[in-house]
Amino acid sequence: MVPQIKTFEEYKEQYELSVNDPEAFWGNIAENFEWKKKWNSVLEWNFSAPDIKWFNGGKLNITENCLDRHQAARKNQTAIIWEPNDANDAARHITYGELFLYVQQFANVLLAQDVKKGDRVCIYLPMIPEAAVAMLACARIGAIHSVVFAGFSAQSLADRINDASCKLLITADSMMRGEKKIDLKKIADDAMLTTPGINKCIVFNHKSSPVQMKPERDLWLHELLSKVNSTHTAEVMESEDPLFILYTSGSTGKPKGVLHTTAGYMVYSAYTFKNVFQYKDQDVFCCTADVGWVTGHTYIVYGPLLNGAVTLMFEGIPTYPDPGRFWNIIEKHKVNIFYTAPTAIRSLQLYGLQPVKGKDLSSLKVLGSVGEPINEEAWQWYHKNIGNGNCPIVDTWWQTETGGILISPLAHITPLKPAFATLPLPGIQPVLVDQKGNEITGNGVEGNLCIKFPWPGIARSLYGNHERFRTTYFSTYQNKYFTGDGCKRDEDGYYRITGRVDDVINVSGHRIGTGEVEDAIDEHNCVIESAVVAYPHEVKGQALYAFVICDRDIHNKEAVYLQIKNHVAKVIGPFARPDKIQIVKALPKTRSGKIMRRILRKIAEGDITNLGDISTLLDPAVVDAIVAGAAGLNEKNS
Ligand code: PRX
């Protein structure tokens, strides 16, 4: 059993210990898992290479820790509750015994398709238990899973498959998101036109939608399952063997395949789950994220299962069939811990209190928030109306690259402050640095957030591009991991994340690189160049504003705006559609040709009274023209 901190005093003691003797601290926690062989050293590291090894020399399989280990005590206990998109369909309850069996069978299915240790498998599935089963089956045989969020387009899916040279794809016939049907297999078929490495595609029959099955390549999961053995002995993995790749966006270039390895990720996900949420045996934990993002990996699948928890997976959306859906789920399944994103809270806030009225939310003990800064108004609404004023909100700050939560209150333990992620977890040493890289000490300060010491969940590389890993995270500030976030530390030493300081935009908690959207826009046949910036949005947190130069005079601007938006949705996915587009004659560039995004951001925000110094621009008159154009844009702009 992973140790659980009980008091604020204990938190402070553990924090001290974790900084003074990190090896003793993490070694002690790691003792609580099943190892085939103990590690030789707890930590070997150097941030300049970078080269980070946790529990080196150890041997284990993470799925034995998620499944085999719980069979004696929890065989008949629910592991996964699945709530379907359609509220009238039956929920599924899968016990630890059933999950263990399913994962072993699925592992044998993968082996029968010649998937071997170290091979990459792409998972493109709805929010259904099979997504977790597929991930665990990969981990069981030592294959590296790469889950792609089912909202991504065929092209984005193909790019990710090719970047990781996946040899097998797991998908489903179709899925429903609210009333919208998404033909996943059709999207996968389109993607597979350009993925020469994929030999086999396993299809789960989710909705019995008609699909085209390509002979030899496409196989039904249920047919494969009927042919395999139901026992499988887990592959023995080294601590530092890769567990999964998960793509995320950066400021520039194509998405990065963040690589996590086995033992450190296991220890960190289990420890943070149990401590941040203060999970108690039999609590029902509900995280509304998608397994296509890191939150789903760590806090729907691995963190809960490692702790023998009950984890609830929800297939649908917060507003279907009505905006009371989340609250119905809490009532129906007696959810004790509810973890969601600020954007969902803000969107539900708009419907007022009617959808909450009469719902029995008394099972709730802890509320969580993740993915973007939570504004104080949303925090108060969530706290008062959902948590009845007595559930702490754990505002958890972390990233795909960090594997698990780094800065957050411990529920019922850390004194809260609305809109603050509060204090670092044991083992996490945050520092604020100024533009020159100097550490900013003391309290009541603001700077760029770095972490100066490794923790077990930190990513080890970017798949196939270690040099990019180094330059992205470890070269801006010497000997520090740079998060890309700005941060304040207040008088009490509490941390408040202020948002990205690079060109990454956080739209409804989805991390989007401006470069990716610009590349997609530039593919449109009348676009010469574009620049995308963020502006604040009431519900989404941030929204995308694209400034576009066309190669001709456009008479029907609205039609072009719509075409561009649809094109971005097609190339990346619907969540990356720009909200506003403005056609401009030129972009504000410096003499060296660099776009001054600072100015565009101000214009997008409607803050044109002080645009700052524009004297370094090649042609300052460009700015007046853009400001005039922005004033004439339609409210809806589509
Ligand atoms: O800007 C921070 C924001 O989300 C970024 C990481 O995005 P991603 O890798 O997609 O992971 C999201 C889920 C962990 C961060 O760099 N972010 C995440 N959580 C918070 C946050 N910003 C403020 N407060 C948070 N609690």
Side-chain angles (χ1 to χ4, degrees):
M1 293 272 280
V2 177
Q4 193 171 42
I5 292 169
K6 299 270 178 326
T7 62
F8 195 48
E9 275 315 303
E10 196 188 338
Y11 158 73
K12 287 192 260 184
E13 281 163 25
Q14 291 291 307
Y15 189 81
E16 280 303 306
L17 172 65
S18 77
V19 172
N20 295 335
D21 194 349
E23 299 197 19
F25 176 80
W26 288 113
N28 182 35
I29 291 167
E31 296 282 356
N32 296 283
F33 295 83
E34 293 277 330
W35 297 84
K36 298 266 185 217
K37 175 181 169 290
K38 274 280 276 294
W39 53 90
N40 301 329
S41 66
V42 172
L43 172 64
E44 293 163 34
W45 72 290
N46 125 34
F47 270 176
S48 52
D51 182 16
I52 306 153
K53 293 191 176 79
W54 281 94
F55 312 110
N56 203 20
K59 291 185 196 292
L60 73 161
N61 187 292
I62 192 169
T63 70
E64 287 194 331
N65 284 278
C66 291
L67 300 168
D68 309 42
R69 189 167 59 133
H70 301 312
Q71 294 309 305
R74 302 185 191 275
K75 200 166 182 221
N76 298 319
Q77 180 209 298
T78 301
I80 299 177
I81 301 176
W82 178 69
E83 172 69 20
N85 177 66
D86 187 336
N88 297 318
D89 287 349
R92 282 164 75 183
H93 289 251
I94 301 173
T95 64
Y96 271 91
E98 289 162 342
L99 187 63
F100 184 36
L101 186 67
Y102 202 171
V103 169
Q104 292 180 85
Q105 290 172 331
F106 207 132
N108 286 329
V109 162
L110 294 177
L111 288 176
Q113 297 311 316
D114 201 30
V115 180
K116 298 194 177 66
K117 179 175 176 177
D119 285 343
R120 276 78 57 213
V121 171
C122 181
I123 300 174
Y124 186 65
L125 283 173
M127 277 293 289
I128 50 177
E130 281 66 21
V133 173
M135 289 162 72
L136 293 164
C138 287
R140 187 130 186 120
I141 66 167
I144 306 168
H145 57 74
S146 169
V147 183
V148 176
F149 170 56
F152 274 114
S153 65
Q155 191 173 323
S156 296
L157 173 61
D159 287 348
R160 285 157 177 75
I161 288 173
N162 290 333
D163 187 78
S165 325
C166 296
K167 72 190 269 193
L168 185 133
L169 172 65
I170 303 169
T171 191
D173 53 338
S174 72
M175 64 185 256
M176 298 295 294
R177 271 182 73 75
E179 280 170 332
K180 199 166 153 217
K181 179 166 180 249
I182 300 169
D183 288 309
L184 280 186
K185 175 64 168 57
K186 173 82 189 59
I187 299 171
D189 286 341
D190 289 347
M192 284 188 286
L193 293 174
T194 57
T195 58
I198 293 282
N199 308 322
K200 301 283 176 193
C201 175
I202 297 179
V203 187
F204 173 66
N205 181 9
H206 181 38
K207 303 297 294 176
S208 297
S209 303
V211 292
Q212 294 217 329
M213 298 292 278
K214 188 172 166 187
E216 309 285 305
R217 186 193 69 185
D218 299 347
L219 307 157
W220 286 110
L221 178 63
H222 57 269
E223 289 177 6
L224 299 176
L225 284 169
S226 70
K227 293 184 202 141
V228 294
N229 230 308
S230 30
T231 54
H232 175 270
T233 309
E235 183 76 35
V236 179
M237 307 297 288
E238 303 279 337
S239 288
E240 285 297 339
D241 275 340
L243 175 64
F244 67 84
I245 299 167
L246 189 55
Y247 283 85
T248 191
S249 295
S251 312
T252 53
K254 56 189 182 106
K256 308 173 282 199
V258 174
L259 182 80
H260 284 283
T261 59
T262 304
Y265 176 82
M266 173 182 78
V267 169
Y268 200 69
S269 57
Y271 178 76
T272 53
F273 174 78
K274 186 149 183 193
N275 281 281
V276 169
F277 301 105
Q278 287 291 301
Y279 185 86
K280 303 280 182 309
D281 210 17
Q282 310 296 327
D283 279 350
V284 176
F285 177 84
C286 170
C287 166
T288 67
D290 193 286
V291 283
W293 308 113
V294 74
T295 311
H297 280 57
T298 307
Y299 299 111
I300 293 178
V301 181
Y302 288 111
L305 297 179
L306 285 163
N307 282 289
V310 185
T311 179
L312 191 154
M313 262 179 123
F314 172 41
E315 186 187 23
I317 56 171
T319 48
Y320 178 79
D322 60 61
R325 186 69 193 273
F326 274 178
W327 325 133
N328 280 335
I329 291 174
I330 294 172
E331 181 174 50
K332 176 174 168 189
H333 297 290
K334 301 196 171 37
V335 171
N336 304 109
I337 305 170
F338 184 73
Y339 189 33
T340 194
T343 193
I345 299 163
R346 288 191 297 263
S347 72
L348 295 174
Q349 232 181 315
L350 295 181
Y351 294 94
L353 289 176
Q354 194 53 36
V356 192
K357 248 198 193 137
K359 303 282 155 62
D360 180 3
L361 306 181
S362 60
S363 56
L364 285 174
K365 298 194 290 191
V366 176
L367 298 174
S369 171
V370 61
E372 45 178 325
I374 180 165
N375 48 311
E376 183 151 356
E377 204 191 336
W379 195 101
Q380 297 292 3
W381 188 89
Y382 194 30
H383 189 252
K384 176 166 173 238
N385 300 306
I386 307 306
N388 195 24
N390 55 27
C391 297
I393 297 178
V394 287
D395 177 1
T396 62
W397 173 82
W398 58 298
Q399 310 178 297
T400 306
E401 296 86 341
T402 69
I405 298 165
L406 299 197
I407 304 183
S408 167
L410 305 182
H412 294 288
I413 290 176
T414 311
L416 302 177
K417 232 184 236 191
F420 277 77
T422 72
L423 296 170
L425 299 189
I428 305 306
Q429 301 186 36
V431 282
L432 302 186
V433 290
D434 65 19
Q435 298 300 336
K436 294 194 187 109
N438 301 317
E439 229 174 284
I440 307 170
T441 54
N443 288 340
V445 291
E446 182 169 3
N448 287 350
L449 178 61
C450 294
I451 316 288
K452 69 175 180 192
F453 196 84
W455 62 98
I458 188 173
R460 304 297 197 268
S461 192
L462 294 178
Y463 188 79
N465 200 343
H466 197 65
E467 177 55 13
R468 190 172 177 205
F469 184 59
R470 187 186 70 78
T471 52
T472 309
Y473 306 106
F474 300 94
S475 69
T476 318
Y477 304 108
Q478 231 190 358
N479 278 325
K480 294 180 183 70
Y481 165 80
F482 177 41
T483 64
D485 279 318
C487 182
K488 288 182 177 161
R489 185 167 51 222
D490 78 355
E491 297 301 339
D492 298 323
Y494 268 38
Y495 290 84
R496 177 188 188 134
I497 313 302
T498 50
R500 302 288 303 197
V501 293
D502 54 8
D503 290 324
V504 170
I505 300 179
N506 199 324
V507 180
S508 301
H510 293 315
R511 184 167 153 180
I512 299 173
T514 50
E516 279 171 84
V517 183
E518 288 162 7
D519 286 350
I521 294 175
D522 296 351
E523 281 179 19
H524 186 275
N525 62 8
C526 70
V527 174
I528 297 177
E529 194 181 2
S530 61
V532 172
V533 296
Y535 69 96
H537 187 281
E538 198 190 346
V539 173
K540 300 179 181 185
Q542 290 188 305
L544 303 180
Y545 192 126
F547 297 88
V548 173
I549 305 177
C550 291
D551 65 354
R552 61 196 88 151
D553 280 340
I554 304 290
H555 300 295
N556 188 351
K557 287 188 177 164
E558 301 300 321
V560 172
Y561 293 153
L562 190 60
Q563 280 171 18
I564 293 177
K565 289 179 185 188
N566 289 343
H567 186 68
V568 174
K570 190 170 154 246
V571 174
I572 304 176
F575 60 88
R577 277 168 70 99
D579 290 79
K580 285 191 185 174
I581 301 182
Q582 180 182 349
I583 295 177
V584 296
K585 290 269 178 241
L587 291 166
K589 289 192 177 168
T590 59
R591 288 189 185 85
S592 58
K594 205 168 165 263
I595 298 172
M596 280 188 92
R597 289 174 186 274
R598 175 178 60 77
I599 295 175
L600 294 177
R601 247 176 250 134
K602 287 248 177 193
I603 297 172
E605 285 165 9
D607 177 17
I608 50 167
T609 45
N610 177 19
L611 291 176
D613 181 13
I614 56 169
S615 63
T616 54
L617 288 180
L618 187 62
D619 178 9
V622 164
V623 175
D624 292 337
I626 300 179
V627 169
L633 276 192
N634 261 344
E635 234 341 90
K636 262 194 84 207
N637 185 228
S638 63

